[in-house]
Amino acid sequence: MGALAALPGAAHADAVHPVVALGTADPFYFTMQRGAERAAKETRVQLLFQVPKAWNTTEQVPILKALIAKHPDVLLVSPVDKQQLIAPLKEAADAGIKVITVDTYIGDGHYQTGKGDADFPLSYIASDNLEGGRVAARALAKAIGDKGTICCENNKSGISSTDARVQGFMDEMKKHPNIKVLETQYNEDDANRAAAHVAAVLARNPDLSGVFGANTFSGSGAALGVKTAGKQGKIKFVVFDAVPGGDDKISSGLVSIAIAQRPYDMGYYTVKFAADAIRGKKVPVYQSTGFVVLDKSNVDMPGMKVYIYSN
Ligand code: T6T
């Protein structure tokens, strides 16, 4: 789901009011919201949260346009598409509104370069998704003994984050010639569709060894498909994102590895950078927030639960 924030103008320095619109029923963005709220308190700004209904331009662009009409100082957004969000966000920039993207980017994600039509945002805050995909591939290859057939469930094409994860995953898998990688399937953030995909893949490939779920809904749905087929623990499963209950899924053996992003830190840096930008401070054009690999060996250790997202 796309996240949006705006710091309305015409507010005195200590009371800028960002409006943040987050995806519904997505613990990733709800956790991001908590980090944003902490930064808002520290930088003396207030946060309001709107909620797009789904991860698509039909939902995100009208909310964006409504926020732009309020002429905020800064617009904080998770663009739902690398290309389709360039024009709407350029409208904001041309109107003198600073733009910061979080979790996802527009164009190639390289900002303030003076090149191309999508370098105008001030900053991009996110996980290193390409490396995250490579980590997932190495983990899955190890879990299946570096041989067998695997499949990949993803949200939809055109999203910088999940596109990069799958690219990193596939690049790394090329180093594992004894692993057959089936065609990636797209579920458009519909966990039930992901579950149905896995069931169909299993019907065609009963010897399926592993599954990669490239985001929250892909992972939850694929896990449901594996469990419904009675293959829990038999099929190794690596997911991006650590949804509520993800620790139990790891302890039970349903999920082998969860790559937990740091959405709380993403939210924190996004609002901190927005407040700094309004006050004339320079902000980093890129801030990586890292990720934590959770598995049976560490998920129940003290201090690790903090990496599980909250609703
Ligand atoms: O994986 C996260 C986020 O990083 C990605 O951009 C979209 O999917 C999630 O929001 C999880 O639903």
Side-chain angles (χ1 to χ4, degrees):
M1 314 304 176
L4 286 174
L7 302 179
H12 61 81
D14 282 352
V16 285
H17 303 276
V19 176
V20 184
L22 291 172
T24 51
D26 187 336
F28 176 83
Y29 287 110
F30 294 145
T31 306
M32 183 187 285
Q33 178 175 338
R34 289 172 182 73
E37 287 169 338
R38 184 177 139 225
K41 207 168 167 189
E42 287 179 4
T43 58
R44 304 187 313 283
V45 296
Q46 292 170 10
L47 287 180
L48 303 175
F49 290 88
Q50 285 182 312
V51 182
K53 292 189 183 67
W55 183 284
N56 59 51
T57 52
T58 313
E59 290 294 333
Q60 189 173 58
V61 173
I63 294 177
L64 199 59
K65 288 187 179 295
L67 286 175
I68 292 171
K70 295 181 167 61
H71 209 286
D73 290 312
V74 185
L75 200 60
L76 312 177
V77 59
S78 301
V80 295
D81 185 280
K82 290 179 276 194
Q83 294 305 318
Q84 295 180 51
L85 265 289
I86 293 175
L89 289 175
K90 187 73 170 59
E91 261 180 58
D94 290 346
I97 298 167
K98 296 174 178 66
V99 176
I100 292 176
T101 71
V102 54
D103 176 45
T104 58
Y105 59 71
I106 52 172
D108 64 7
H110 295 106
Y111 297 155
Q112 300 297 307
T113 60
K115 296 187 191 110
D117 60 352
D119 83 315
F120 52 85
L122 296 183
S123 186
Y124 161 53
I125 298 114
S127 308
D128 178 347
N129 289 296
L130 201 60
E131 179 56 21
R134 295 188 193 110
V135 168
R138 288 194 287 269
L140 189 55
K142 186 177 174 197
I144 65 173
D146 212 16
K147 65 181 183 308
T149 301
I150 64 168
C151 71
C152 171
E153 270 296 320
N154 195 2
N155 177 357
K156 67 170 82 165
S157 178
I159 304 167
S160 66
S161 53
T162 44
D163 279 358
R165 287 171 206 160
V166 172
Q167 184 191 328
F169 183 89
M170 296 304 175
D171 290 348
E172 184 65 28
M173 273 302 170
K174 286 175 186 150
K175 301 172 188 171
H176 301 269
N178 296 326
I179 297 178
K180 179 185 176 190
V181 184
L182 299 176
E183 191 75 22
T184 296
Q185 299 200 79
Y186 294 90
N187 53 66
E188 305 213 341
D189 265 355
D190 179 337
N192 291 324
R193 196 182 298 176
H197 287 165
V198 169
V201 166
L202 267 169
R204 296 192 300 271
N205 306 271
D207 60 344
L208 186 72
S209 314
V211 179
F212 172 47
N215 82 324
T216 303
F217 299 95
S218 304
S220 305
L224 178 64
V226 168
K227 193 171 178 182
T228 307
K231 298 278 187 179
Q232 176 165 329
K234 297 186 185 74
I235 290 181
K236 302 305 177 190
F237 188 33
V238 174
V239 292
F240 224 92
D241 288 318
V243 295
D247 43 346
D248 299 337
K249 286 180 181 160
I250 290 171
S251 305
S252 72
L254 176 58
V255 171
S256 313
I257 282 150
I259 297 177
Q261 300 189 75
R262 313 283 293 266
Y264 183 95
D265 294 358
M266 286 184 204
Y268 180 84
Y269 283 119
T270 300
V271 172
K272 179 77 174 60
F273 289 3
D276 285 351
I278 285 175
R279 292 159 184 156
K281 292 180 190 165
K282 193 152 173 44
V283 298
V285 287
Y286 173 57
Q287 176 69 48
S288 172
T289 48
F291 43 77
V292 175
V293 179
L294 300 174
D295 61 21
K296 254 184 178 169
S297 73
N298 66 3
V299 72
D300 292 323
M301 285 168 73
M304 297 307 279
K305 300 294 182 193
V306 70
Y307 300 114
I308 302 291
Y309 309 166
S310 54
N311 275 315

